[in-house]
Amino acid sequence: MSIHTQTIAQLAQGLKDKEFSSVELTQHYLKRIQQSDLNAFITVTDELAMAQAQAADEKIAKGAGSILTGIPYAHKDIFCTQGVKTSAGSKMLDNFIAPYDATVSHQLNQADTVMLGKVNMDEFAMGSSNENSFYGAVKNPWNTDKIPGGSSGGSAAAVAGGLSCFATGTDTGGSIRQPASLCGITGLKPTYGRVSRYGMIAYASSLDQAGPMTKTAEDAAIVLNAMAGFDEKDSTSAEQAVPDYTANLNDSVKGLTIGLPKEFFSEGLDDEVATQVMNAVKEFEAMGATVKEISLPNSAYAIPTYYIVAPCECSSNLSRLDGVRYGYRCDNPKDLEDLYLRSRSEGFGAEVKRRIMIGAYALSAGYYDAYYLKAQKTRHLISEDFKKAFNEVDVIMGPVSPTTAFDLGSVKDPVSMYLADIYTLSANLAGLPGMSIPAGFSNKLPVGLQLIGNYWSESKLLNIAHQFQLQTNWHQQMPQEN
Ligand code: GLN
């Protein structure tokens, strides 16, 4: 079995049994990254990785360390990493060397993981195809003419393409689940507040949440164990005990009630994607689960609500990038206004500017009530729909994305691109945890099944996903290599 097809659990065993060292694992991945044409990495931190791998090997030799000790991973370039460029996929931060570690970076360091590098993403995490990156589009390892999904497209491509054992991602409106789905890997967006946002470059603060992108649900549980927890540096982080997410993976799903929202199976959903998703649901029925049709009546408002709330928050968050304190600065500014204007005009890409303008407009005195306030009210209604649904069902299932990965360059207008997020946005608006797990193929491209759980039900979701992965082998498929 070659190294890059193995899970964290398998590699950890191999390290323990001295089948290979962390240095060897790291070299293997670095070589693959070097030979890859997926454009998944923005920065490869080879020297740092080798030093971390060496330190991990010393620890393992002493019989110390954790299950993640010496495991190589790819870090989304949205997490600050001390002394390492942290670009958020933007020209604005192309010269930004983070002076401190994000809490997630710190936690993964504490777990003795090996950071291979920082991975590509849509600029400031705005996008669904990874075509908005200053560093160019990422290619889908299953078919390099296709998008990998976004915004954590580099993360998904790195894991699916065997360039790292796991990756970090962030999900504001679907950016862990959608690329996980389109690249055929497992992705988990935790409950809002579960993972610290400190040092994670903010897109929309009330929606952003970090999570693991892995080959299996078991691996996702292992990584979430390291990432989750209260952080006094993040005022929205929840003071909630962290269970051992690997502890309940083997619970039976017999008697589980699955809710299928009728709104998630309506017009716009590709037939073949629907078939694969329903086949997965049938698999759960065979395992003893029951299925119930439910309704999330306000989900039709998820796209308009999200595309007001997220731009409003980003217009405020990105105002700190002004060419003065850090980041890109234009050449020879005439005066202060010219400095702000040109630094921001030259530093931000088109989609980011579009959203800053929408947000600034929707928050302006004359329009605040009509747009932002209304969106907040609709957001509340969307959350209430879920609350009612979870009185009746244990988990909600449906598609992640209405289609499989589309052709690079094929979706040109922004509103059509926003439609890609139709099934993922609601979970963020409500703050609920969600997952994507591999559930089949259509035209040789992966299809993901989405699981949405109640607040703090990550253990349950991981358990459900793990049980599915014991019955199926979709998650073990790897793209063909030339
Ligand atoms: N596609 C959505 C957007 O463009 C979600 C992105 C994300 O989750 N970061 O905003």
Side-chain angles (χ1 to χ4, degrees):
M1 194 165 35
S2 77
I3 280 175
H4 55 271
T5 62
Q6 297 192 39
T7 63
I8 296 173
Q10 289 165 333
L11 290 183
Q13 193 60 44
L15 285 169
K16 203 167 149 206
D17 297 344
K18 310 255 179 302
E19 276 172 41
F20 39 71
S21 65
S22 174
V23 164
E24 284 165 339
L25 285 186
T26 303
Q27 279 165 337
H28 176 82
Y29 280 116
L30 288 172
K31 190 158 162 223
R32 286 182 62 82
I33 294 167
Q34 205 182 21
Q35 290 167 346
S36 162
D37 58 4
L38 298 173
N39 197 29
F41 281 76
I42 292 175
T43 306
V44 181
T45 48
D46 35 8
E47 277 177 31
L48 174 73
M50 290 308 289
Q52 286 179 330
Q54 232 145 29
D57 281 336
E58 282 160 27
K59 226 173 187 171
I60 294 166
K62 288 190 208 132
S66 75
I67 187 157
L68 283 170
T69 301
I71 306 290
Y73 81 103
H75 208 15
K76 186 172 180 180
D77 208 18
I78 199 166
F79 294 97
C80 284
T81 39
Q82 190 171 9
V84 176
K85 173 166 138 176
T86 301
S87 74
S90 183
K91 178 179 177 184
M92 190 54 108
L93 292 177
D94 184 48
N95 62 2
F96 178 62
I97 309 289
Y100 66 100
D101 274 331
T103 295
V104 167
S105 310
H106 175 72
Q107 286 163 317
L108 290 171
N109 282 340
Q110 290 295 105
D112 313 316
T113 53
V114 173
M115 186 176 83
L116 296 165
K118 306 288 296 289
V119 274
N120 208 338
M121 54 179 283
D122 280 306
E123 185 176 4
F124 290 104
M126 298 175 199
S128 312
S129 68
N130 220 304
E131 294 168 296
N132 294 339
S133 170
F134 172 63
Y135 301 92
V138 177
K139 295 174 183 169
N140 189 314
W142 290 93
N143 178 338
T144 50
D145 294 331
K146 309 278 178 185
I147 58 119
S151 65
S152 312
S155 310
V159 176
L163 307 182
S164 70
C165 181
F166 74 93
T168 55
T170 62
D171 191 313
T172 303
S175 281
I176 288 177
R177 289 160 291 157
Q178 188 251 17
S181 170
L182 303 189
C183 287
I185 65 163
T186 300
L188 168 66
K189 177 204 103 69
T191 306
Y192 181 77
R194 176 73 297 183
V195 174
S196 170
R197 291 187 300 108
Y198 177 76
M200 192 176 106
I201 294 171
Y203 163 15
S205 312
S206 76
L207 300 158
D208 298 344
Q209 187 60 200
M213 299 179 73
T214 55
K215 288 196 168 72
T216 63
E218 183 186 20
D219 279 5
I222 293 168
V223 180
L224 187 62
N225 274 348
M227 290 173 78
F230 172 67
D231 180 9
E232 61 184 18
K233 296 190 194 122
D234 170 7
S235 62
T236 59
S237 139
E239 235 173 318
Q240 175 101 1
V242 181
D244 175 359
Y245 290 108
T246 63
N248 298 313
L249 293 174
N250 291 317
D251 289 359
S252 163
V253 295
K254 216 167 161 189
L256 184 82
T257 311
I258 298 170
L260 297 184
K262 62 172 195 268
E263 295 80 4
F264 281 23
F265 293 88
S266 53
E267 212 189 319
L269 176 62
D270 178 89
D271 286 344
E272 192 53 31
V273 171
T275 305
Q276 299 301 321
V277 167
M278 285 317 293
N279 286 345
V281 172
K282 281 185 202 131
E283 191 70 46
F284 281 104
E285 284 185 295
M287 288 188 259
T290 51
V291 173
K292 198 168 176 174
E293 189 186 273
I294 57 165
S295 175
L296 300 169
N298 292 294
S299 52
Y301 304 119
I303 292 183
T305 303
Y306 173 88
Y307 279 99
I308 291 294
V309 173
C312 285
E313 294 187 17
C314 95
S315 73
S316 161
N317 275 326
L318 299 189
S319 65
R320 70 186 64 145
L321 294 156
D322 54 7
V324 176
R325 281 163 288 194
Y326 54 92
Y328 179 78
R329 177 179 294 182
C330 67
D331 286 336
N332 308 318
K334 279 204 311 278
D335 52 27
L336 185 62
E337 197 169 323
D338 188 45
L339 167 80
Y340 288 150
L341 216 114
R342 279 187 26 239
S343 298
R344 286 169 68 81
S345 305
E346 293 165 18
F348 289 132
E351 184 60 28
V352 173
K353 284 184 205 162
R354 181 177 298 119
R355 296 196 191 190
I356 291 173
M357 286 191 282
I358 294 171
Y361 178 81
L363 287 175
S364 60
Y367 296 98
Y368 178 91
D369 288 0
Y371 294 107
Y372 186 68
L373 196 65
K374 201 165 198 171
Q376 290 294 29
K377 288 181 179 168
T378 326
R379 182 175 185 178
H380 180 71
L381 294 176
I382 291 169
S383 305
E384 287 296 304
D385 284 353
F386 280 109
K387 209 165 166 185
K388 282 190 202 117
F390 284 120
N391 287 330
E392 293 178 47
V393 301
D394 301 309
V395 64
I396 292 171
M397 291 191 190
V400 177
S401 160
T403 63
T404 52
F406 43 87
D407 283 339
L408 282 157
S410 65
V411 178
K412 293 202 169 63
D413 85 287
V415 177
S416 306
M417 190 66 90
Y418 301 164
L419 294 177
D421 308 330
I422 186 155
Y423 305 125
T424 49
L425 300 175
S426 316
N428 300 78
L429 289 166
L432 293 165
M435 269 188 99
S436 174
I437 54 174
F441 289 84
S442 165
N443 279 330
K444 301 193 178 144
L445 289 168
V447 174
L449 170 73
Q450 183 169 207
L451 317 177
I452 301 174
N454 211 340
Y455 298 104
W456 315 109
S457 68
E458 287 80 3
S459 286
K460 180 107 224 131
L461 292 182
L462 289 161
N463 163 225
I464 295 168
H466 181 66
Q467 290 304 305
F468 184 75
Q469 293 180 342
L470 290 177
Q471 299 298 322
T472 58
N473 64 7
W474 305 119
H475 61 289
Q476 286 161 343
Q477 311 298 315
M478 293 274 293
Q480 291 268 308
E481 299 196 340
N482 309 321

mmCIF file of all heavy atoms in Angstrom, residues 76 124-128 150-151 170-176 203 208 306-307 310 351 355 418 421 425 428, ligand 1:
data_model
loop_
_atom_site.group_PDB
_atom_site.id
_atom_site.type_symbol
_atom_site.label_atom_id
_atom_site.label_comp_id
_atom_site.label_asym_id
_atom_site.label_seq_id
_atom_site.Cartn_x
_atom_site.Cartn_y
_atom_site.Cartn_z
ATOM 1 N N LYS A 76 -4.747 25.432 5.268
ATOM 2 C CA LYS A 76 -5.369 26.458 4.412
ATOM 3 C C LYS A 76 -4.680 27.792 4.679
ATOM 4 O O LYS A 76 -4.416 28.152 5.842
ATOM 5 C CB LYS A 76 -6.872 26.543 4.707
ATOM 6 C CG LYS A 76 -7.629 27.491 3.763
ATOM 7 C CD LYS A 76 -9.144 27.422 3.950
ATOM 8 C CE LYS A 76 -9.870 28.359 3.001
ATOM 9 N NZ LYS A 76 -11.338 28.325 3.146
ATOM 10 N N PHE A 124 -9.724 35.518 0.196
ATOM 11 C CA PHE A 124 -10.458 35.758 1.441
ATOM 12 C C PHE A 124 -11.646 34.805 1.612
ATOM 13 O O PHE A 124 -12.655 35.149 2.217
ATOM 14 C CB PHE A 124 -10.892 37.226 1.579
ATOM 15 C CG PHE A 124 -9.712 38.136 1.812
ATOM 16 C CD1 PHE A 124 -9.218 38.942 0.801
ATOM 17 C CD2 PHE A 124 -9.055 38.142 3.033
ATOM 18 C CE1 PHE A 124 -8.096 39.736 0.998
ATOM 19 C CE2 PHE A 124 -7.935 38.938 3.248
ATOM 20 C CZ PHE A 124 -7.455 39.738 2.229
ATOM 21 N N ALA A 125 -11.508 33.632 1.037
ATOM 22 C CA ALA A 125 -12.510 32.548 1.177
ATOM 23 C C ALA A 125 -13.831 32.862 0.485
ATOM 24 O O ALA A 125 -14.875 32.318 0.838
ATOM 25 C CB ALA A 125 -12.736 32.183 2.650
ATOM 26 N N MET A 126 -13.767 33.750 -0.507
ATOM 27 C CA MET A 126 -14.996 34.103 -1.234
ATOM 28 C C MET A 126 -15.014 33.395 -2.574
ATOM 29 O O MET A 126 -14.317 33.791 -3.509
ATOM 30 C CB MET A 126 -15.051 35.615 -1.453
ATOM 31 C CG MET A 126 -15.099 36.365 -0.136
ATOM 32 S SD MET A 126 -15.024 38.126 -0.421
ATOM 33 C CE MET A 126 -14.531 38.659 1.216
ATOM 34 N N GLY A 127 -15.817 32.346 -2.639
ATOM 35 C CA GLY A 127 -15.930 31.629 -3.896
ATOM 36 C C GLY A 127 -16.367 30.199 -3.697
ATOM 37 O O GLY A 127 -16.374 29.683 -2.574
ATOM 38 N N SER A 128 -16.749 29.572 -4.791
ATOM 39 C CA SER A 128 -17.219 28.185 -4.744
ATOM 40 C C SER A 128 -16.480 27.328 -5.755
ATOM 41 O O SER A 128 -16.887 26.203 -6.037
ATOM 42 C CB SER A 128 -18.718 28.137 -5.072
ATOM 43 O OG SER A 128 -19.411 29.097 -4.325
ATOM 44 N N GLY A 150 -14.805 25.339 -3.841
ATOM 45 C CA GLY A 150 -14.145 26.407 -3.089
ATOM 46 C C GLY A 150 -14.902 26.706 -1.810
ATOM 47 O O GLY A 150 -15.966 26.161 -1.588
ATOM 48 N N SER A 151 -14.353 27.494 -0.957
ATOM 49 C CA SER A 151 -13.082 28.161 -1.118
ATOM 50 C C SER A 151 -11.888 27.303 -0.701
ATOM 51 O O SER A 151 -10.757 27.624 -1.061
ATOM 52 C CB SER A 151 -13.062 29.457 -0.299
ATOM 53 O OG SER A 151 -13.149 29.167 1.084
ATOM 54 N N THR A 170 -11.874 26.030 6.051
ATOM 55 C CA THR A 170 -12.831 26.890 6.760
ATOM 56 C C THR A 170 -14.108 26.932 5.937
ATOM 57 O O THR A 170 -14.072 26.797 4.710
ATOM 58 C CB THR A 170 -12.310 28.325 6.973
ATOM 59 O OG1 THR A 170 -12.091 28.941 5.692
ATOM 60 C CG2 THR A 170 -11.028 28.345 7.778
ATOM 61 N N ASP A 171 -15.218 27.105 6.634
ATOM 62 C CA ASP A 171 -16.532 26.993 6.007
ATOM 63 C C ASP A 171 -17.405 28.143 6.504
ATOM 64 O O ASP A 171 -17.805 28.168 7.655
ATOM 65 C CB ASP A 171 -17.113 25.621 6.392
ATOM 66 C CG ASP A 171 -18.349 25.226 5.615
ATOM 67 O OD1 ASP A 171 -19.253 26.068 5.495
ATOM 68 O OD2 ASP A 171 -18.435 24.060 5.163
ATOM 69 N N THR A 172 -17.647 29.094 5.604
ATOM 70 C CA THR A 172 -18.477 30.257 5.923
ATOM 71 C C THR A 172 -19.872 30.051 5.337
ATOM 72 O O THR A 172 -20.871 30.495 5.888
ATOM 73 C CB THR A 172 -17.812 31.526 5.340
ATOM 74 O OG1 THR A 172 -16.496 31.616 5.881
ATOM 75 C CG2 THR A 172 -18.597 32.785 5.663
ATOM 76 N N GLY A 173 -19.878 29.372 4.190
ATOM 77 C CA GLY A 173 -21.148 29.090 3.520
ATOM 78 C C GLY A 173 -21.097 27.752 2.796
ATOM 79 O O GLY A 173 -21.916 27.488 1.922
ATOM 80 N N GLY A 174 -20.088 26.956 3.120
ATOM 81 C CA GLY A 174 -19.989 25.640 2.475
ATOM 82 C C GLY A 174 -18.579 25.255 2.081
ATOM 83 O O GLY A 174 -18.350 24.195 1.488
ATOM 84 N N SER A 175 -17.611 26.099 2.398
ATOM 85 C CA SER A 175 -16.259 25.932 1.860
ATOM 86 C C SER A 175 -15.457 24.741 2.355
ATOM 87 O O SER A 175 -14.373 24.482 1.837
ATOM 88 C CB SER A 175 -15.437 27.190 2.103
ATOM 89 O OG SER A 175 -15.789 28.149 1.159
ATOM 90 N N ILE A 176 -15.973 24.014 3.344
ATOM 91 C CA ILE A 176 -15.358 22.721 3.657
ATOM 92 C C ILE A 176 -16.147 21.632 2.940
ATOM 93 O O ILE A 176 -15.593 20.769 2.254
ATOM 94 C CB ILE A 176 -15.351 22.448 5.189
ATOM 95 C CG1 ILE A 176 -14.327 23.357 5.881
ATOM 96 C CG2 ILE A 176 -15.055 20.970 5.473
ATOM 97 C CD1 ILE A 176 -14.275 23.235 7.385
ATOM 98 N N TYR A 203 -13.557 36.391 7.245
ATOM 99 C CA TYR A 203 -14.379 36.727 6.084
ATOM 100 C C TYR A 203 -15.705 37.261 6.647
ATOM 101 O O TYR A 203 -15.947 38.465 6.655
ATOM 102 C CB TYR A 203 -14.526 35.483 5.207
ATOM 103 C CG TYR A 203 -15.637 35.467 4.182
ATOM 104 C CD1 TYR A 203 -16.318 36.623 3.802
ATOM 105 C CD2 TYR A 203 -16.013 34.264 3.580
ATOM 106 C CE1 TYR A 203 -17.340 36.571 2.858
ATOM 107 C CE2 TYR A 203 -17.030 34.222 2.642
ATOM 108 C CZ TYR A 203 -17.703 35.375 2.292
ATOM 109 O OH TYR A 203 -18.713 35.308 1.375
ATOM 110 N N ASP A 208 -18.049 32.130 9.905
ATOM 111 C CA ASP A 208 -16.784 31.393 9.702
ATOM 112 C C ASP A 208 -16.588 30.301 10.755
ATOM 113 O O ASP A 208 -16.730 30.561 11.944
ATOM 114 C CB ASP A 208 -15.566 32.334 9.844
ATOM 115 C CG ASP A 208 -15.513 33.456 8.815
ATOM 116 O OD1 ASP A 208 -16.211 33.372 7.798
ATOM 117 O OD2 ASP A 208 -14.751 34.421 9.055
ATOM 118 N N TYR A 306 -27.785 34.941 2.930
ATOM 119 C CA TYR A 306 -26.327 34.804 3.079
ATOM 120 C C TYR A 306 -25.597 35.882 2.278
ATOM 121 O O TYR A 306 -24.628 36.472 2.763
ATOM 122 C CB TYR A 306 -25.893 33.411 2.603
ATOM 123 C CG TYR A 306 -24.396 33.216 2.565
ATOM 124 C CD1 TYR A 306 -23.707 32.766 3.683
ATOM 125 C CD2 TYR A 306 -23.660 33.491 1.406
ATOM 126 C CE1 TYR A 306 -22.326 32.589 3.656
ATOM 127 C CE2 TYR A 306 -22.282 33.319 1.366
ATOM 128 C CZ TYR A 306 -21.622 32.870 2.494
ATOM 129 O OH TYR A 306 -20.261 32.688 2.459
ATOM 130 N N TYR A 307 -26.066 36.123 1.054
ATOM 131 C CA TYR A 307 -25.346 37.077 0.208
ATOM 132 C C TYR A 307 -25.659 38.539 0.559
ATOM 133 O O TYR A 307 -25.277 39.457 -0.173
ATOM 134 C CB TYR A 307 -25.518 36.736 -1.278
ATOM 135 C CG TYR A 307 -24.543 35.618 -1.643
ATOM 136 C CD1 TYR A 307 -24.952 34.297 -1.721
ATOM 137 C CD2 TYR A 307 -23.182 35.893 -1.817
ATOM 138 C CE1 TYR A 307 -24.045 33.272 -1.995
ATOM 139 C CE2 TYR A 307 -22.270 34.881 -2.085
ATOM 140 C CZ TYR A 307 -22.707 33.573 -2.180
ATOM 141 O OH TYR A 307 -21.789 32.581 -2.430
ATOM 142 N N ALA A 310 -23.090 37.939 4.617
ATOM 143 C CA ALA A 310 -21.650 37.718 4.431
ATOM 144 C C ALA A 310 -20.961 38.966 3.850
ATOM 145 O O ALA A 310 -19.935 39.396 4.397
ATOM 146 C CB ALA A 310 -21.398 36.476 3.584
ATOM 147 N N GLU A 351 -14.061 39.757 -7.219
ATOM 148 C CA GLU A 351 -15.158 39.241 -6.390
ATOM 149 C C GLU A 351 -15.137 39.875 -5.003
ATOM 150 O O GLU A 351 -16.183 40.211 -4.443
ATOM 151 C CB GLU A 351 -15.067 37.705 -6.289
ATOM 152 C CG GLU A 351 -16.196 37.037 -5.534
ATOM 153 C CD GLU A 351 -17.591 37.278 -6.123
ATOM 154 O OE1 GLU A 351 -17.704 37.498 -7.346
ATOM 155 O OE2 GLU A 351 -18.581 37.263 -5.359
ATOM 156 N N ARG A 355 -18.115 42.215 -3.288
ATOM 157 C CA ARG A 355 -18.762 41.961 -1.992
ATOM 158 C C ARG A 355 -18.589 43.126 -1.024
ATOM 159 O O ARG A 355 -19.488 43.426 -0.253
ATOM 160 C CB ARG A 355 -18.238 40.661 -1.400
ATOM 161 C CG ARG A 355 -18.621 39.503 -2.300
ATOM 162 C CD ARG A 355 -18.479 38.195 -1.623
ATOM 163 N NE ARG A 355 -18.596 37.120 -2.606
ATOM 164 C CZ ARG A 355 -18.709 35.850 -2.298
ATOM 165 N NH1 ARG A 355 -18.717 35.478 -1.038
ATOM 166 N NH2 ARG A 355 -18.807 34.943 -3.238
ATOM 167 N N TYR A 418 -23.162 31.702 -7.140
ATOM 168 C CA TYR A 418 -23.745 31.667 -5.787
ATOM 169 C C TYR A 418 -24.736 30.503 -5.642
ATOM 170 O O TYR A 418 -24.942 29.993 -4.547
ATOM 171 C CB TYR A 418 -24.458 32.991 -5.442
ATOM 172 C CG TYR A 418 -23.572 34.236 -5.493
ATOM 173 C CD1 TYR A 418 -24.123 35.511 -5.533
ATOM 174 C CD2 TYR A 418 -22.181 34.130 -5.494
ATOM 175 C CE1 TYR A 418 -23.322 36.650 -5.581
ATOM 176 C CE2 TYR A 418 -21.374 35.258 -5.550
ATOM 177 C CZ TYR A 418 -21.945 36.514 -5.605
ATOM 178 O OH TYR A 418 -21.151 37.632 -5.654
ATOM 179 N N ASP A 421 -24.063 27.147 -3.833
ATOM 180 C CA ASP A 421 -24.071 27.062 -2.366
ATOM 181 C C ASP A 421 -25.453 26.783 -1.797
ATOM 182 O O ASP A 421 -25.657 26.842 -0.582
ATOM 183 C CB ASP A 421 -23.568 28.384 -1.760
ATOM 184 C CG ASP A 421 -22.241 28.822 -2.327
ATOM 185 O OD1 ASP A 421 -21.447 27.943 -2.712
ATOM 186 O OD2 ASP A 421 -21.994 30.034 -2.390
ATOM 187 N N LEU A 425 -25.495 26.708 2.624
ATOM 188 C CA LEU A 425 -25.545 27.978 3.360
ATOM 189 C C LEU A 425 -26.383 27.918 4.635
ATOM 190 O O LEU A 425 -26.027 28.541 5.644
ATOM 191 C CB LEU A 425 -26.123 29.079 2.464
ATOM 192 C CG LEU A 425 -25.357 29.390 1.181
ATOM 193 C CD1 LEU A 425 -26.122 30.411 0.347
ATOM 194 C CD2 LEU A 425 -23.972 29.923 1.515
ATOM 195 N N ASN A 428 -24.697 27.179 7.959
ATOM 196 C CA ASN A 428 -23.884 28.284 8.488
ATOM 197 C C ASN A 428 -24.770 29.366 9.089
ATOM 198 O O ASN A 428 -24.464 29.922 10.145
ATOM 199 C CB ASN A 428 -23.019 28.910 7.400
ATOM 200 C CG ASN A 428 -22.073 27.910 6.776
ATOM 201 O OD1 ASN A 428 -22.488 27.113 5.951
ATOM 202 N ND2 ASN A 428 -20.817 27.936 7.181
HETATM 203 N N1 GLN B 1 -19.198 29.975 -1.653
HETATM 204 C C1 GLN B 1 -19.507 30.786 -0.518
HETATM 205 C C2 GLN B 1 -19.008 32.190 -0.730
HETATM 206 O O1 GLN B 1 -18.518 32.439 -1.763
HETATM 207 C C3 GLN B 1 -18.963 30.171 0.730
HETATM 208 C C4 GLN B 1 -17.527 30.386 0.915
HETATM 209 C C5 GLN B 1 -17.015 29.891 2.221
HETATM 210 O O2 GLN B 1 -17.641 29.039 2.871
HETATM 211 N N2 GLN B 1 -15.902 30.442 2.657
HETATM 212 O O3 GLN B 1 -19.099 33.030 0.084
#
